[in-house]
Amino acid sequence: MSNKLHIVSLGCTKNLVDTEVMMGKLQNFELTDNNEDADVIIVNTCGFIDAAKEESVNTVLSLHEARKEDSLLVMAGCLSERYQEELSQQMPEVDIFTGVGDYDKIDELLIEKKSRFSDEVYLIDGAERVVTGSSYHAYIKLSEGCNQTCSFCAIPSFKGKLKSRDLDSIAKEVESLVKKGYWDFSFVSQDSSSYLRDQNIRDGLSLLIQRIELIEGVKSARILYLYPSTTTISLLKNIAKSDIFHNYFDMPIQHINDDMLRMMKRGFGKEKTLELLNFMRQLPNSFVRTSFIVGHPGETQEMFEEMCDFAQNFGFDRINVFSYSDEETTTAHEMKDKIDEQTKTQRAEILGEIAAECTQKSLEAEVGKTVDIVIDGESEEHEFLLSARELLWDREIDGEIYVNDRSDDSCELEFGKIYPAKITELVGNILTATVDNAPRTN
């Protein structure tokens, strides 16, 4: 088999981890950015909502149009898993279909040139990954599937119930990556605060924190995707006590109106939400990110306005806004009182503007502070500007800082190192900083 590989990862960071597992199994291939030159093209798809499904299908078809003769086109991941029969009938352009259970068997599938769908989701257990995009940061997957029954979410229908990785498996993966020079980690899953509940352990994340703190070489960590009904004040206190885990709180609440939260089958109400968010916000150097859904069936104008008022006044650092997507296999799909597309679009635009204002206020509050940053490389803006991020922030989603000055111009800054920096200005939505040339040593 020829050995040039072009691989595309769509959707969330959990998909990215799975893509990196496939790359680890195909290290005998030469990676190429030129899909027209590739012998094998793999698209790891997302099947969460309509926009993601459309992007996945369009990406596959676009790559097919430009690929060379005799190349193999593989469609993997969530969309393939969710629509196995339909896609195999409707997309003859694809040579191999595979879902969410065979990422570590991708080398075998290419040899066999056959589609395969395992009955179980894939949980990383000793597989070697090729970490992409960073020389110091990696995402670590905690689990697959989800035990929640949110009205709008189809994930349990094709990924099943929660299946947590063993703590030792996670620790071994982190230890292996530390030996390769990685020291900053983001822990992810569909519902991270339920980690190990399928093994009858109620506070698995606190155990995870304790275990990761024992690994020499881990300097920085954060947890993504906390779920309100399974997040406790005790867990938040354990995060706050950690010398390694940041007070970084990514908790998608989706709404704030009590009636809408019940319709969404979220398992919690406004009172619990406020208790958790207020506790997060009062912790030192905390960063609070959330997401909201607009246009869920039954959402009245009054409910929407309550959500907007809350989003505007709470003080979130970042907000993601999603329009409701009417997904088959979900309970919301069967609900009446559907919101028309025009209204959903209008509401998304209104809340999107509020989200942008919240981000701007959060960035403005950084000006004048001295914070730890990590230099990632040269910026795309100008050859004399370096691109960095606050160490507190997640690498993919929270923003960029331009380093435009240093205390000693004769000293070269090193990529992937932590530096104390003075935030000097906000230009548009980009912070600028002056860096002390002495990197942190711990």
Side-chain angles (χ1 to χ4, degrees):
M1 182 184 293
S2 300
N3 63 348
K4 284 192 176 182
L5 170 66
H6 181 77
I7 192 163
V8 178
S9 187
L10 301 175
C12 64
T13 54
K14 298 179 287 295
N15 259 21
L16 177 63
V17 172
D18 295 328
T19 299
E20 292 172 349
V21 168
M22 289 192 285
M23 293 171 66
K25 297 297 291 186
L26 300 175
Q27 293 186 65
N28 58 315
F29 281 76
E30 176 189 348
L31 286 174
T32 177
D33 291 330
N34 182 6
N35 59 284
E36 297 181 18
D37 192 39
D39 302 292
V40 174
I41 300 170
I42 301 174
V43 182
N44 196 13
T45 60
C46 177
F48 183 42
I49 59 176
D50 283 341
K53 290 184 282 188
E54 183 177 346
E55 179 188 23
S56 294
V57 170
N58 288 342
T59 299
V60 171
L61 294 177
S62 175
L63 290 169
H64 165 70
E65 295 232 343
R67 67 172 169 149
K68 69 180 186 180
E69 190 176 357
D70 297 327
S71 63
L72 285 177
L73 178 59
V74 182
M75 191 172 186
C78 294
L79 188 67
S80 296
E81 183 73 34
R82 188 175 177 187
Y83 299 103
Q84 298 177 23
E85 295 183 7
E86 296 94 326
L87 291 174
S88 62
Q89 295 172 3
Q90 297 172 11
M91 296 189 69
E93 299 88 351
V94 176
D95 300 301
I96 299 172
F97 291 95
T98 184
V100 298
D102 293 298
Y103 295 113
D104 63 334
K105 304 290 193 307
I106 187 64
D107 51 342
E108 298 175 13
L109 297 185
L110 294 182
I111 293 171
E112 296 170 358
K113 297 183 182 179
K114 292 182 180 179
S115 298
R116 183 195 296 176
F117 292 91
S118 293
D119 293 333
E120 297 289 329
V121 293
Y122 172 69
L123 285 180
I124 295 173
D125 189 13
E128 183 178 358
R129 290 164 54 194
V130 175
V131 177
T132 59
S134 177
S135 62
Y136 65 88
H137 172 274
Y139 289 96
I140 304 294
K141 187 184 287 191
L142 297 175
S143 62
E144 270 293 2
C146 186
N147 285 348
Q148 308 299 338
T149 58
C150 300
S151 63
F152 51 83
C153 183
I155 287 175
S157 71
F158 60 90
K159 285 205 170 184
K161 293 290 188 180
L162 175 72
K163 294 181 178 66
S164 300
R165 294 177 63 187
D166 291 338
L167 194 54
D168 284 344
S169 169
I170 293 172
K172 287 177 182 178
E173 183 182 14
V174 172
E175 288 166 351
S176 174
L177 289 169
V178 166
K179 289 178 182 178
K180 296 178 181 180
Y182 294 89
W183 50 263
D184 182 35
F185 299 93
S186 296
F187 294 86
V188 299
S189 68
Q190 268 84 37
D191 171 12
S192 294
S193 46
S194 288
Y195 173 61
L196 290 182
R197 287 197 170 208
D198 55 316
Q199 300 177 24
N200 296 318
I201 298 173
R202 290 194 62 80
D203 198 2
L205 278 188
S206 291
L207 296 179
L208 174 80
I209 291 168
Q210 295 172 20
R211 183 66 181 84
I212 299 303
E213 287 178 326
L214 296 175
I215 301 175
E216 185 176 355
V218 179
K219 300 179 182 179
S220 169
R222 63 202 60 74
I223 299 167
L224 308 186
Y225 308 115
L226 297 174
Y227 192 90
S229 70
T230 50
T231 297
T232 63
I233 296 297
S234 174
L235 170 61
L236 300 180
K237 288 180 177 178
N238 287 333
I239 293 173
K241 286 189 295 186
S242 175
D243 293 328
I244 292 174
F245 282 80
H246 299 287
N247 286 342
Y248 183 100
F249 303 109
D250 172 37
M251 191 171 75
I253 64 172
Q254 312 302 10
H255 219 284
I256 197 61
N257 176 268
D258 260 327
D259 291 333
M260 180 51 60
L261 289 171
R262 279 192 291 272
M263 279 188 269
M264 287 180 164
K265 302 179 70 174
R266 295 285 283 166
F268 60 90
K270 182 175 183 177
E271 182 178 357
K272 170 76 181 293
T273 303
L274 292 176
E275 179 189 16
L276 294 172
L277 290 175
N278 287 330
F279 189 85
M280 294 172 185
R281 187 76 286 175
Q282 58 88 26
L283 290 171
N285 197 33
S286 65
F287 186 98
V288 184
R289 166 182 278 280
T290 196
S291 66
F292 292 105
I293 293 175
V294 302
H296 185 282
E299 184 187 56
T300 65
Q301 183 65 23
E302 290 75 21
M303 292 174 179
F304 171 69
E305 289 174 359
E306 181 182 352
M307 179 165 58
C308 288
D309 289 342
F310 179 70
Q312 193 161 34
N313 295 313
F314 174 76
F316 290 107
D317 293 289
R318 304 289 188 274
I319 297 174
N320 287 340
V321 178
F322 297 96
S323 292
Y324 167 77
S325 180
D326 198 28
E327 299 296 316
E328 65 273 19
T329 74
T330 67
T331 55
H333 184 67
E334 307 303 323
M335 290 181 181
K336 298 178 181 180
D337 299 324
K338 297 285 177 66
I339 309 300
D340 65 85
E341 292 300 321
Q342 182 178 357
T343 300
K344 284 196 291 185
T345 299
Q346 290 172 345
R347 289 179 180 178
E349 290 174 352
I350 291 169
L351 191 54
E353 290 177 2
I354 292 172
E357 292 171 3
C358 290
T359 298
Q360 203 72 5
K361 288 179 182 177
S362 178
L363 293 173
E364 288 170 357
E366 296 297 287
V367 177
K369 291 182 180 179
T370 296
V371 299
D372 284 343
I373 68 169
V374 190
I375 310 292
D376 282 320
E378 295 179 357
S379 76
E380 297 181 358
E381 180 70 19
H382 195 282
E383 59 180 320
F384 296 125
L385 294 174
L386 296 178
S387 175
R389 67 171 175 90
E390 279 199 43
L391 183 59
L392 170 67
W393 296 353
D394 185 63
R395 184 175 68 85
E396 292 285 336
I397 55 179
D398 292 320
E400 185 180 18
I401 296 172
Y402 289 158
V403 175
N404 59 359
D405 201 2
R406 62 201 78 178
S407 57
D408 179 2
D409 288 338
S410 66
C411 186
E412 289 293 324
L413 299 178
E414 297 182 63
F415 299 162
K417 292 290 182 69
I418 307 170
Y419 292 88
K422 175 74 173 291
I423 304 296
T424 55
E425 191 178 3
L426 177 62
V427 181
N429 61 354
I430 301 290
L431 293 170
T432 62
T434 300
V435 170
D436 186 332
N437 288 308
R440 298 284 190 203
T441 57
N442 56 3

